[in-house]
């Protein structure tokens, strides 16, 4: 299990606080120079019946395509 799954406005979301999913998908972001260690890039996945339909993966520390608004547009 990656983390707690909760419902937000009828959409299940899962936290990734232990970086398990980010590591498994190769989304690591090394912020050691800033004293933050290995983190995960910001990302959002739209999964339907265990198939990834949309994968919005941010570059660096950006926050442009991984928000809920972008995933809702893909529905």
């Amino acid at each position: 299990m990656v983390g707690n799954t909760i419902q937000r406005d009828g959409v299940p979301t899962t936290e990734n606080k232990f970086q398990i999913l980010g590591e498994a998908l190769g989304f690591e972001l090394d912020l050691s120079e800033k004293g933050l260690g290995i983190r995960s890039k910001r990302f959002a996945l739209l999964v339907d019946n265990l198939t990834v339909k949309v994968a919005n993966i941010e570059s660096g520390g950006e926050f442009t395509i991984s928000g809920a608004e972008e995933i809702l547009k893909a529905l």
Side-chain angles (χ1 to χ4, degrees), residues 1-16 21 43-47 66-68 71-72:
M1 177 177 222
V2 174
N4 295 326
T5 299
I6 59 172
Q7 293 279 337
R8 291 189 178 146
D9 296 325
V11 178
T13 60
T14 302
E15 65 184 12
N16 189 29
L21 186 57
F43 66 94
L45 303 174
L46 175 60
V47 180
S66 63
I71 290 295
L72 289 173

Side-chain angles (χ1 to χ4, degrees), residues 3 5 9 14 26 28 40 42 49 53 59:
T5 299
D9 296 325
T14 302
E28 292 104 340
S40 176
R42 187 177 292 273
N49 200 26
K53 299 293 185 176
S59 298

Side-chain angles (χ1 to χ4, degrees), residues 11-68:
V11 178
T13 60
T14 302
E15 65 184 12
N16 189 29
K17 70 180 181 181
F18 296 113
Q19 206 340 48
I20 296 167
L21 186 57
E23 182 179 342
L25 295 173
F27 296 164
E28 292 104 340
L29 180 64
D30 189 354
L31 297 175
S32 297
E33 289 181 5
K34 297 180 181 181
L36 299 173
I38 304 296
R39 301 294 176 109
S40 176
K41 294 178 184 176
R42 187 177 292 273
F43 66 94
L45 303 174
L46 175 60
V47 180
D48 182 23
N49 200 26
L50 300 178
T51 300
V52 175
K53 299 293 185 176
V54 175
N56 292 349
I57 306 152
E58 301 284 0
S59 298
E62 295 178 6
F63 182 58
T64 57
I65 61 171
S66 63

